[in-house]
Amino acid sequence: MSADSADTDAQQRKRTRIKLAAWWEANARDLPWRFGRTSPWGVLVSEVMSQQTQMSRVVPYWTDWMARWPDAQALADAPKADVITAWGRLGYPRRVLRLQECARVVTEQYHDELPHTYEELIGLPGIGDYTASAVLSFAFGERIAVIDTNIRRVLSRVFLGVESLGGAASPAERALANRVLPEQGAVGESVTWNQSVMELGAVVCTAKSPLCEACPVADDCMFLKLGRPGLGQRRTRPRQRFQGTDRQVRGLVLASLRELPAGASLPRKDAEKLWDDQVQLASCIASLDDDGLIEITADDMLRLPQG
Ligand code: SF4
């Protein structure tokens, strides 16, 4: 890169940072775990809940959850059936068992305080690169690149002019995220940067229909300049439809167990009325049992885990 183009590159980054910081200031959604209103544990819970569920849907669940179990210790001590029930329709319920395991480790090994290093965070059950980075940035204010699907899409479009193709983050995408991350103390510093880029990807620079006409960084977006080549193109297969999937069947079984009075069980013959395909149903019941989300008693009754 010549000195001139490096200079232009730095200026583009600075302009983008300033515009995004101003946009964030005026437009950030008022989510209850933002703006320093919750503990680091509350931030972690919001990130786990939001992994495969839209943030707006997460809000009522997160609010009730934190009122009931405000810290890791409270969640660690909660009956498993209660946490599975409270997870409600957030989906992908294995996440809740991992979150409770995480709470137990935080309680026992870290005296109910989330650890502050990336290595310690990523060693917790259910915590991957994204969540560890998000907690370090959003809860502890550390300078670290947070890399999720929205951030990858926005950075790739704005700075490279191409679509991010999904799948695992490539080394080039990680390098880009680190290269454009503002220094601590710079205008639009790293925490605001991470949050604002992610928010832009969630509400403006969406995968299929980006609202370029309302975008604060449109003047500097290479993707827009190039005519949005391959808009919406992805490497991964389209998302599987929910209807008829094992996810749907597992969800039906769990929902019927959640509706029972505490400690009650469902006879298997009643569960068999939930779904026509008995082979699929039996396999889903077995997989819920394997995952530890339900128990099958000796007299073939189904129930949420006791204890
Ligand atoms: S101009 Fe369009 S493509 Fe570029 S960042 Fe904004 S919304 Fe995304």
Side-chain angles (χ1 to χ4, degrees):
M1 190 184 285
S2 70
D4 274 358
S5 63
D7 197 37
T8 312
D9 194 45
Q11 284 171 5
Q12 183 203 2
R13 275 183 274 147
K14 189 172 176 196
R15 272 197 309 274
T16 305
R17 272 206 316 264
I18 292 170
K19 286 177 184 168
L20 269 182
W23 176 81
W24 168 257
E25 184 80 16
N27 295 284
R29 287 171 294 173
D30 186 21
L31 302 172
W33 50 84
R34 285 180 166 170
F35 314 117
R37 287 177 295 179
T38 187
S39 61
W41 177 255
V43 171
L44 181 137
V45 172
S46 76
E47 291 298 339
V48 173
M49 287 184 171
S50 308
Q51 272 162 18
Q52 278 141 321
T53 310
Q54 280 182 350
M55 281 193 176
S56 50
R57 275 193 58 217
V58 165
V59 171
Y61 286 98
W62 182 90
T63 305
D64 292 350
W65 188 278
M66 293 302 293
R68 195 166 175 190
W69 300 302
D71 52 28
Q73 168 99 56
L75 182 60
D77 293 343
K80 215 183 251 187
D82 287 1
V83 300
I84 293 171
T85 300
W87 197 254
R89 304 184 74 81
L90 280 172
Y92 297 98
R94 271 176 293 202
R95 285 185 289 169
V96 73
L97 297 185
R98 302 290 283 161
L99 182 60
Q100 192 174 35
E101 276 173 49
C102 176
R104 290 189 177 130
V105 174
V106 171
T107 303
E108 285 160 19
Q109 293 182 17
Y110 297 102
H111 311 291
D112 200 14
E113 296 287 340
L114 266 190
H116 282 228
T117 69
Y118 179 85
E119 288 68 27
E120 289 169 313
L121 284 166
I122 206 157
L124 296 171
I127 304 303
D129 170 73
Y130 165 75
T131 308
S133 310
V135 167
L136 282 174
S137 178
F138 306 151
F140 296 132
E142 299 284 337
R143 181 180 180 272
I144 184 166
V146 177
I147 302 176
D148 80 335
T149 314
N150 285 333
I151 290 189
R152 286 166 61 194
R153 180 171 61 252
V154 172
L155 296 184
S156 182
R157 283 176 175 173
V158 172
F159 294 104
L160 305 178
V162 295
E163 285 289 43
S164 162
L165 293 183
S170 68
E173 285 177 320
R174 287 184 180 281
L176 172 64
N178 283 307
R179 186 164 64 82
V180 299
L181 188 69
E183 294 299 327
Q184 222 59 321
V187 182
E189 49 81 40
S190 65
V191 178
T192 305
W193 173 254
N194 285 328
Q195 288 182 311
S196 60
V197 176
M198 193 183 288
E199 186 85 339
L200 192 80
V203 300
V204 175
C205 190
T206 56
K208 286 188 189 150
S209 323
L211 304 168
C212 301
E213 62 288 352
C215 176
V217 298
D219 289 348
D220 278 306
C221 176
M222 211 179 281
F223 189 64
L224 183 61
K225 271 195 192 98
L226 295 173
R228 312 200 301 183
L231 176 65
Q233 177 192 352
R234 290 177 65 78
R235 187 187 299 132
T236 45
R237 279 178 292 140
R239 208 178 273 183
Q240 194 188 17
R241 266 191 311 176
F242 181 65
Q243 204 61 29
T245 60
D246 286 358
R247 271 189 63 215
Q248 183 186 14
V249 182
R250 284 165 55 101
L252 284 172
V253 175
L254 267 188
S256 65
L257 297 187
R258 284 193 196 103
E259 282 161 14
L260 296 174
S265 304
L266 182 73
R268 188 185 281 265
K269 64 177 172 34
D270 289 345
E272 285 167 355
K273 295 175 192 150
L274 293 169
W275 194 250
D276 287 345
D277 182 341
Q278 293 302 306
V279 174
Q280 185 182 20
L281 179 72
S283 144
C284 289
I285 289 173
S287 73
L288 285 168
D289 182 37
D290 284 349
D291 288 343
L293 286 162
I294 67 167
E295 288 175 355
I296 304 174
T297 65
D299 51 354
D300 217 18
M301 306 278 273
L302 314 184
R303 65 184 184 193
L304 291 175
Q306 308 297 294

